[in-house]
Amino acid sequence: MSNDITIALAGNPNAGKTTLFNALTGSRQHVGNYPGVTVETKEGFYAKDGRRCRLVDLPGIYSLSPYSEEEVVARDYLVNERPGVIINIVDASNLERNLYLSCQFMEMGVPMVIALNMVDVAKKRGIVIDHERLSELIGQPVCPIVARSGQGIEQLMATAMAHAMEHGKWRPAKISYGDDLDAVMIDLTKIIEDKHFLTKDYPARWTALKYLEKDDRHLSIGDAADVEVSRQLVEKVEEVAKHLEQTMGTEPDAMIADHRYGFIKSIAKQNVVQRSVDQDRLYTSDRIDRVLTNRFAGPLIMLLILWGLYDFTFTYSALPVAWGEAFFSWLGNLAELYVPDGYFKSMLISGVIDGIGGVLGFVPIIMFMFFGIALLEDSGYLARVAFMMDRIFRIFGLHGSSVMAYIISGGIAGGCAVPGVMATRTLRSPKERMATMLTVPFMNCGAKLPVLALLVGAFFTKNQARYMFLFTLLAWLTALVAAKILRMTVLRGEPTPFVLELPPYRFPTFQGLLIHTWEKTWQYIKKAGTVILGISILLWAMMTFPVLPAGERQHFEEQRQQLMAQSAPALVAELQQEDALSPAALRLRQELLTLDGAEAEAGLRHSLAGRIGMGLEKLSWLPGFDWQTNIALVGGFAAKEVIISTLGTSYSLGAVDPEESDSLGAVLAKDPRWDRVKAMSVIIFVMFYAPCFVTVACIIKESGSWKWGVFSMAFNTSFAFLLSTLVYQLGSRLL
Amino acid sequence: MARILLRKMAKNQTGTIAAVKVGGELGQRIRDMGLVPGTDISIQGRAPLNDPVALRVMGGTLSLRNNEADFIEVEVDDE
Ligand SMILES: Nc1nc2c(ncn2[C@@H]2O[C@H](COP(=O)(O)OP(=O)(O)OP(=O)(O)O)[C@@H](O)[C@H]2O)c(=O)[nH]1
């Protein structure tokens, strides 16, 4: 096991890394996270002729700069884990740009094999690459492959394994950065070697280069190791930097990048790349772009496509979601029948089964949504969406790619924030991504809709469509403004450079899509599942304990017995049968149910949740909520539709089915404590307060920190509280 | 030949990058993507709201925001 060679896969985004990884490892892979960061890693095994190697998929990157988490992860991995060899996957149809990263690996000196991928695409574009010549010129093995069809990958792996055996040592390549810098590089390298500065982990030339580039991360590693030497190096670098500034008006890092490209271009010119077709010819991809990013047609088509994705996700997942619900309610009934009465039963049904049902209930939605996103991403369209939407989202401190997450979360009413939060993964800019993730829960997800519908129906109008539309607009406005507020406060900072690649359109492979979909879904089940089950049980306990004192329960039981005793025995017997009750029996049953409802209300009021609800009245008079509403809102943290059933219980109706909430609407409409202003205040609060805990669990997981989960609950709740108070106080004064 | 800012270039206009006048993260990103002096580019189009701009660079397509393109000077080819 431990003798297996480790091979790291690295390359630019979109060069086909994932495709190659899947082709090599098949299903023998697992996804994990680097500790402390949200960047994913995948590991798998490849075996051939009795030899086995471990493959590690590094994040897709353009460079080894210290600016993004992905790049730092890739860099640290190479240094700390010392893979036997890296396979650098290079897109042959975009050779020069891709070789820039290869160039940096060469500077580092890691043993490397270049996998020249997409030679089929290059050929179609009339580009032929002489891979032997390329190999000669850069001094690294080069294997042409087509990752998608598997062509050439056995040869690639054989070369990589052989290369790993032969070349244990790191040998940094010497690339020229111009006379001035070359001279300094020699000086710096000499100092570093003499003082053995960081040489245990890093080649001397690499350290010298990073000092020249003023790479903050490497400088701090250097400072930690030996401040003296580090300062000496920095002084030397400053000297040459000043000189460059005066003579050429440039800086060392710019100069280095220019020379890397100079090196690459000179290689490409030495009969490596041959283009048989005029380069300015319009590729198919450009022609598609003429339409899809057209000033007028582009946005329209985008709306249609996004609507289509949304429709696809929520329409097609409806059936499996319903199956899931049916299954869990069947399970609940089973428990109802066969488990002896008591707390265990109640916990099993309301805590465990409902909790797991809640988690798994999202699975079909998540699967469909990720399938749709994978489709848009792999085909290259997602980058166009970002391109077209960026101007608008930038105003709010966001990124063009944010639009996706908002739409899925309920930008078209009825989405879900859980896949929305997960969809922020497509954003590569960390601050923009956090701001998006924290504000997508403001959208009107499918679970808030029944609550809104109930209140709108009871207090405003039976014609709800117009109101729903207004609420959708309000959600967008609020989410964007909140994002702006976040970007000006906790997530303050310069916008992350946009510089975005628009990859050529490609037909995604079905297998690739399925693997993507399954990976993400499984992660959700695994990570969210445990947290959610725990919290679900906790909420159940809060709404159950402490239980009504025996005396009070006795009191209800006596009333029940009394009712039965007053009625004719025949009538009581008739209750046992399900339907075709006589009017008198119906009346009796109704009275019994009313009693049950009253007991449930008393129980809820007595429970911890009830006490919290009443305690909260000290604050909640501001937005005008009574204790019943408070408990319902606490319950709504489990899932927003729970608000309705809890309101039902606390208004003594027993649990109310969210789909048939007319009775509850009628009760509320008649209740003197409710009016339009209060209803509006509650609506606003429900729209914007703490996301449900499934969403919070996802935020924690996606952001990699508890802090953001807690923040989202506190921030959203205060925000909603403020808005509702404003609505209620102003409303009740003006109306 | 005239030297103008990338932002000022018209659709389908071609040219060669003359200078990239920004350092730090933005400068690094711009250079990483191949936008270095000596690289030929052509303007492929602009987003519906005129920003960002899409460029053809060495066989690939990149997009930049206008305020990022402001740091790039281009020697444009004569028509
Ligand atoms: N024609 C052709 N298409 C390929 C080849 N390799 C990959 N592709 C396609 O290129 C697209 C991108 O491939 P991915 O494997 O997702 O690229 P990646 O490097 O993992 O990209 P990121 O996931 O963004 O890091 C997919 O649609 C693949 O099907 C190839 O050799 N030939």
Side-chain angles (χ1 to χ4, degrees), chain B residues 41-54:
Chain B
I41 58 168
S42 67
I43 303 291
Q44 194 166 322
R46 288 176 196 277
L49 295 170
N50 251 331
D51 184 11
V53 53

PDB file of all heavy atoms in Angstrom, chain B residues 41-54:
ATOM      1  N   ILE B  41      -3.905  40.227 -29.578  1.00  0.00           N
ATOM      2  CA  ILE B  41      -5.276  40.016 -29.117  1.00  0.00           C
ATOM      3  C   ILE B  41      -6.253  40.578 -30.144  1.00  0.00           C
ATOM      4  O   ILE B  41      -5.870  41.387 -30.989  1.00  0.00           O
ATOM      5  CB  ILE B  41      -5.561  40.728 -27.776  1.00  0.00           C
ATOM      6  CG1 ILE B  41      -5.306  42.232 -27.897  1.00  0.00           C
ATOM      7  CG2 ILE B  41      -4.727  40.154 -26.675  1.00  0.00           C
ATOM      8  CD1 ILE B  41      -5.844  43.017 -26.723  1.00  0.00           C
ATOM      9  N   SER B  42      -7.481  40.103 -30.084  1.00  0.00           N
ATOM     10  CA  SER B  42      -8.521  40.779 -30.845  1.00  0.00           C
ATOM     11  C   SER B  42      -9.771  40.813 -29.987  1.00  0.00           C
ATOM     12  O   SER B  42      -9.963  39.952 -29.121  1.00  0.00           O
ATOM     13  CB  SER B  42      -8.779  40.064 -32.171  1.00  0.00           C
ATOM     14  OG  SER B  42      -9.328  38.805 -31.928  1.00  0.00           O
ATOM     15  N   ILE B  43     -10.567  41.848 -30.196  1.00  0.00           N
ATOM     16  CA  ILE B  43     -11.760  42.015 -29.373  1.00  0.00           C
ATOM     17  C   ILE B  43     -12.873  41.177 -29.973  1.00  0.00           C
ATOM     18  O   ILE B  43     -13.240  41.350 -31.127  1.00  0.00           O
ATOM     19  CB  ILE B  43     -12.222  43.488 -29.356  1.00  0.00           C
ATOM     20  CG1 ILE B  43     -11.094  44.383 -28.861  1.00  0.00           C
ATOM     21  CG2 ILE B  43     -13.472  43.649 -28.495  1.00  0.00           C
ATOM     22  CD1 ILE B  43     -10.753  44.217 -27.420  1.00  0.00           C
ATOM     23  N   GLN B  44     -13.385  40.268 -29.166  1.00  0.00           N
ATOM     24  CA  GLN B  44     -14.397  39.381 -29.711  1.00  0.00           C
ATOM     25  C   GLN B  44     -15.809  39.905 -29.483  1.00  0.00           C
ATOM     26  O   GLN B  44     -16.713  39.598 -30.242  1.00  0.00           O
ATOM     27  CB  GLN B  44     -14.254  38.018 -29.054  1.00  0.00           C
ATOM     28  CG  GLN B  44     -15.025  36.978 -29.804  1.00  0.00           C
ATOM     29  CD  GLN B  44     -14.605  35.609 -29.360  1.00  0.00           C
ATOM     30  OE1 GLN B  44     -13.427  35.365 -29.098  1.00  0.00           O
ATOM     31  NE2 GLN B  44     -15.550  34.716 -29.247  1.00  0.00           N
ATOM     32  N   GLY B  45     -15.987  40.691 -28.460  1.00  0.00           N
ATOM     33  CA  GLY B  45     -17.312  41.251 -28.225  1.00  0.00           C
ATOM     34  C   GLY B  45     -17.418  41.791 -26.831  1.00  0.00           C
ATOM     35  O   GLY B  45     -16.474  41.698 -26.045  1.00  0.00           O
ATOM     36  N   ARG B  46     -18.567  42.346 -26.539  1.00  0.00           N
ATOM     37  CA  ARG B  46     -18.810  42.846 -25.202  1.00  0.00           C
ATOM     38  C   ARG B  46     -20.111  42.269 -24.672  1.00  0.00           C
ATOM     39  O   ARG B  46     -20.997  41.904 -25.440  1.00  0.00           O
ATOM     40  CB  ARG B  46     -18.888  44.376 -25.211  1.00  0.00           C
ATOM     41  CG  ARG B  46     -17.538  45.006 -25.418  1.00  0.00           C
ATOM     42  CD  ARG B  46     -17.632  46.519 -25.519  1.00  0.00           C
ATOM     43  NE  ARG B  46     -16.402  47.054 -26.092  1.00  0.00           N
ATOM     44  CZ  ARG B  46     -15.300  47.299 -25.395  1.00  0.00           C
ATOM     45  NH1 ARG B  46     -15.286  47.073 -24.101  1.00  0.00           N
ATOM     46  NH2 ARG B  46     -14.230  47.755 -25.985  1.00  0.00           N
ATOM     47  N   ALA B  47     -20.224  42.226 -23.343  1.00  0.00           N
ATOM     48  CA  ALA B  47     -21.445  41.718 -22.735  1.00  0.00           C
ATOM     49  C   ALA B  47     -22.582  42.691 -23.048  1.00  0.00           C
ATOM     50  O   ALA B  47     -22.333  43.836 -23.421  1.00  0.00           O
ATOM     51  CB  ALA B  47     -21.254  41.571 -21.236  1.00  0.00           C
ATOM     52  N   PRO B  48     -23.821  42.234 -22.890  1.00  0.00           N
ATOM     53  CA  PRO B  48     -24.965  43.084 -23.242  1.00  0.00           C
ATOM     54  C   PRO B  48     -24.908  44.481 -22.611  1.00  0.00           C
ATOM     55  O   PRO B  48     -25.357  45.440 -23.238  1.00  0.00           O
ATOM     56  CB  PRO B  48     -26.146  42.287 -22.717  1.00  0.00           C
ATOM     57  CG  PRO B  48     -25.705  40.871 -22.828  1.00  0.00           C
ATOM     58  CD  PRO B  48     -24.247  40.879 -22.539  1.00  0.00           C
ATOM     59  N   LEU B  49     -24.346  44.618 -21.427  1.00  0.00           N
ATOM     60  CA  LEU B  49     -24.278  45.952 -20.841  1.00  0.00           C
ATOM     61  C   LEU B  49     -22.918  46.597 -21.082  1.00  0.00           C
ATOM     62  O   LEU B  49     -22.476  47.447 -20.316  1.00  0.00           O
ATOM     63  CB  LEU B  49     -24.592  45.891 -19.345  1.00  0.00           C
ATOM     64  CG  LEU B  49     -26.033  45.456 -19.053  1.00  0.00           C
ATOM     65  CD1 LEU B  49     -26.224  45.167 -17.580  1.00  0.00           C
ATOM     66  CD2 LEU B  49     -27.020  46.532 -19.497  1.00  0.00           C
ATOM     67  N   ASN B  50     -22.231  46.151 -22.152  1.00  0.00           N
ATOM     68  CA  ASN B  50     -20.972  46.756 -22.572  1.00  0.00           C
ATOM     69  C   ASN B  50     -19.768  46.419 -21.710  1.00  0.00           C
ATOM     70  O   ASN B  50     -18.664  46.879 -21.965  1.00  0.00           O
ATOM     71  CB  ASN B  50     -21.107  48.280 -22.608  1.00  0.00           C
ATOM     72  CG  ASN B  50     -21.119  48.751 -24.034  1.00  0.00           C
ATOM     73  OD1 ASN B  50     -20.523  48.093 -24.890  1.00  0.00           O
ATOM     74  ND2 ASN B  50     -21.789  49.849 -24.288  1.00  0.00           N
ATOM     75  N   ASP B  51     -19.973  45.685 -20.680  1.00  0.00           N
ATOM     76  CA  ASP B  51     -18.911  45.364 -19.749  1.00  0.00           C
ATOM     77  C   ASP B  51     -19.291  44.022 -19.170  1.00  0.00           C
ATOM     78  O   ASP B  51     -20.460  43.827 -18.850  1.00  0.00           O
ATOM     79  CB  ASP B  51     -18.903  46.457 -18.656  1.00  0.00           C
ATOM     80  CG  ASP B  51     -17.775  46.305 -17.654  1.00  0.00           C
ATOM     81  OD1 ASP B  51     -16.881  45.498 -17.918  1.00  0.00           O
ATOM     82  OD2 ASP B  51     -17.798  47.005 -16.636  1.00  0.00           O
ATOM     83  N   PRO B  52     -18.448  43.054 -19.028  1.00  0.00           N
ATOM     84  CA  PRO B  52     -17.038  42.968 -19.432  1.00  0.00           C
ATOM     85  C   PRO B  52     -16.841  42.851 -20.950  1.00  0.00           C
ATOM     86  O   PRO B  52     -17.810  42.832 -21.700  1.00  0.00           O
ATOM     87  CB  PRO B  52     -16.576  41.680 -18.752  1.00  0.00           C
ATOM     88  CG  PRO B  52     -17.722  41.127 -18.007  1.00  0.00           C
ATOM     89  CD  PRO B  52     -18.925  41.893 -18.335  1.00  0.00           C
ATOM     90  N   VAL B  53     -15.569  42.782 -21.317  1.00  0.00           N
ATOM     91  CA  VAL B  53     -15.204  42.646 -22.715  1.00  0.00           C
ATOM     92  C   VAL B  53     -14.602  41.250 -22.914  1.00  0.00           C
ATOM     93  O   VAL B  53     -13.983  40.716 -21.997  1.00  0.00           O
ATOM     94  CB  VAL B  53     -14.204  43.769 -23.086  1.00  0.00           C
ATOM     95  CG1 VAL B  53     -13.031  43.790 -22.133  1.00  0.00           C
ATOM     96  CG2 VAL B  53     -13.719  43.626 -24.512  1.00  0.00           C
ATOM     97  N   ALA B  54     -14.858  40.668 -24.089  1.00  0.00           N
ATOM     98  CA  ALA B  54     -14.291  39.344 -24.368  1.00  0.00           C
ATOM     99  C   ALA B  54     -13.179  39.479 -25.404  1.00  0.00           C
ATOM    100  O   ALA B  54     -13.360  40.143 -26.419  1.00  0.00           O
ATOM    101  CB  ALA B  54     -15.382  38.403 -24.877  1.00  0.00           C
TER     102      ALA B  54
END
